[in-house]
Amino acid sequence: MVRYAFINRLLPVARVDTERDGGLRLYLDLYHDRLGTLVDNRKAWFSGFFQTLHSFGWRKLPDLCGPALMLLLLASVISATLLGLALFFARKRAASGMRRLHGWAGLGLALATLSFASSGAFHLLAQAKAPEPMPCELCRQLRD
C-alpha cells in the first residue's frame, strides 16, 4: 500500500483509517491542525502506479534485472530514434511546407531524444561500474 507521499510536504502526518467502502484514509497535519489529504484505495493504487513509472522505482529490482530492463528501454528508444532519422534522410523532399516543417521539427526532437537516452545509458553503465564510495571521516564518526 502506498504511504503518504513526500511531495505533499506536510510531514509528519497522522494516518486515520475509516471504515467506509473504498478504504478512505485521512492524513492529518497535527502541528497546524489541518487536513493533509484524503486517499481511497483507487487513488492510492494510481499514486503508486504513477510514482513507479515516474521515478523508475521498478529499476530497484534485485541484482541486474532493474538496470538490464532500463538498458533495454533506453536501447529501444535509441533504435527507434535512429530509424526515424534514417527515414528523414532517406525520403524525398516533401511536397508541402507543413510536411517539411514537420520533418525538421522531428529532426530536432530526434536529436534531443538521442542526447537524453544516450546520456541516461552512459550514466547507467557508469553507475554499474563505479566502486562503492568511501564514507568521509565525519560520516564514519556519526555512523559509529
Side-chain angles (χ1 to χ4, degrees), residues 6 48 82 124:
F6 175 75
L82 289 175
L124 186 65

Side-chain angles (χ1 to χ4, degrees), residues 86-103:
L87 284 175
F88 174 79
F89 289 113
R91 70 179 169 88
K92 295 182 175 153
R93 185 172 166 90
S96 69
M98 287 302 288
R99 290 184 77 128
R100 266 193 301 272
L101 180 64
H102 179 263

Side-chain angles (χ1 to χ4, degrees), residues 48-117:
F49 179 72
F50 177 79
Q51 286 175 354
T52 300
L53 290 179
H54 184 72
S55 65
F56 293 111
W58 51 269
R59 243 183 17 100
K60 295 173 182 72
L61 293 173
D63 297 328
L64 294 176
C65 289
L69 283 174
M70 189 61 151
L71 271 177
L72 182 66
L73 176 68
L74 289 169
S76 65
V77 167
I78 290 171
S79 63
T81 305
L82 289 175
L83 286 172
L85 284 172
L87 284 175
F88 174 79
F89 289 113
R91 70 179 169 88
K92 295 182 175 153
R93 185 172 166 90
S96 69
M98 287 302 288
R99 290 184 77 128
R100 266 193 301 272
L101 180 64
H102 179 263
W104 284 102
L107 180 65
L109 184 63
L111 294 176
T113 301
L114 273 180
S115 66
F116 281 123

